[in-house]
Amino acid sequence: VVVIFDGLDRLPSPDRFWAVVDQDFRSLRHMRVGVMAAAPQSVLYGQGRAVSAHFDRVHQIRALSSAPEDGGYLKSVITQRGGTDLLGQDEVEAICDSSGGVLRDLITLARDAGEAAYIEGAGEIQLLHVIAAIKQLGESYLRGLGPEQIGILRRLIKERSFDVASSPNVELLVTGRVLEYSATDFRVHPALEPLLPKPESK
């Protein structure tokens, strides 16, 4: 018997995650029941690794790259959910590209584009509705960023380097503003990047 817990990756920190699941997971283990759980990404870095040590195996699900083979999978997710009945090819490609390969954002963009079309009374989802949804997602990631965080994001865009040992950097990873495609490939979320404030000219 295996019990699967979903949604726990939304908890803000590894300490909060472990405080919620510790007692239940230990009880299940004593009953010889297997446990599979979605955990916050923060258990992979810094002090969060102490939490991941409680599990036999930790599997990281990274964002999918924009390579053709991954792009095809993203499109298939929209197709399987009936999205292509309302979305044209250009709209689907824009949603896939701007999701950054994050499935949750992919679904959010498709849904929000549909809502924008519905509010306008449009008979189909047009590119302008997709663009509005992308901007809305980007603004949600932009909200709450301070000068230090914006500086980190700008350096990442320019220098393509990112230190996962730094607490501010880990926070950007955990909140989805920075996406990890491999151990050496980190990028600013594509919906957020065009909305970052321009650096002040000296």
Side-chain angles (χ1 to χ4, degrees):
V1 177
V2 176
V3 179
I4 301 175
F5 293 87
D6 193 14
L8 296 175
D9 56 317
R10 297 176 185 270
L11 293 172
S13 68
D15 293 342
R16 180 74 178 275
F17 167 76
W18 190 243
V20 169
V21 305
D22 181 14
Q23 186 174 357
D24 292 340
F25 282 14
R26 289 184 187 276
S27 297
L28 288 168
R29 188 170 190 130
H30 287 315
M31 291 188 291
R32 297 187 178 181
V33 174
V35 173
M36 181 182 296
Q41 194 174 3
S42 51
V43 303
L44 298 170
Y45 311 104
Q47 296 179 347
R49 291 179 179 173
V51 172
S52 65
H54 291 284
F55 294 87
D56 295 327
R57 184 182 304 169
V58 176
H59 178 69
Q60 181 180 8
I61 301 177
R62 292 188 169 100
L64 296 171
S65 73
S66 57
E69 59 271 19
D70 291 336
Y73 176 76
L74 294 172
K75 291 175 184 176
S76 75
V77 173
I78 294 177
T79 301
Q80 290 296 323
R81 288 173 171 256
T84 49
D85 295 340
L86 297 170
L87 292 160
Q89 183 176 348
D90 290 343
E91 289 76 19
V92 170
E93 289 182 359
I95 288 172
C96 291
D97 291 343
S98 297
S99 73
V102 179
L103 292 180
R104 185 174 289 162
D105 288 348
L106 180 84
I107 294 167
T108 295
L109 287 173
R111 181 200 64 209
D112 289 353
E115 289 180 358
Y118 176 78
I119 290 171
E120 288 191 1
E124 60 183 10
I125 302 173
Q126 301 171 357
L127 193 57
L128 62 92
H129 302 128
V130 173
I131 291 172
I134 294 168
K135 183 180 179 184
Q136 180 174 303
L137 179 63
E139 287 174 342
S140 72
Y141 282 125
L142 180 64
R143 200 171 297 120
L145 287 179
E148 179 187 6
Q149 294 168 310
I150 291 173
I152 293 170
L153 295 173
R154 291 211 159 276
R155 283 193 296 276
L156 174 57
I157 295 169
K158 184 178 180 180
E159 302 172 6
R160 307 288 293 181
S161 62
F162 194 76
D163 179 14
V164 294
S166 167
S167 294
N169 289 13
V170 170
E171 182 181 353
L172 292 171
L173 267 174
V174 171
T175 56
R177 292 168 169 116
V178 171
L179 303 178
E180 181 179 0
Y181 295 95
S182 74
T184 58
D185 186 4
F186 297 87
R187 305 176 207 170
V188 176
H189 195 293
L192 169 62
E193 183 172 343
L195 299 182
L196 289 174
K198 302 294 182 185
E200 296 181 2
S201 55
K202 296 181 180 180

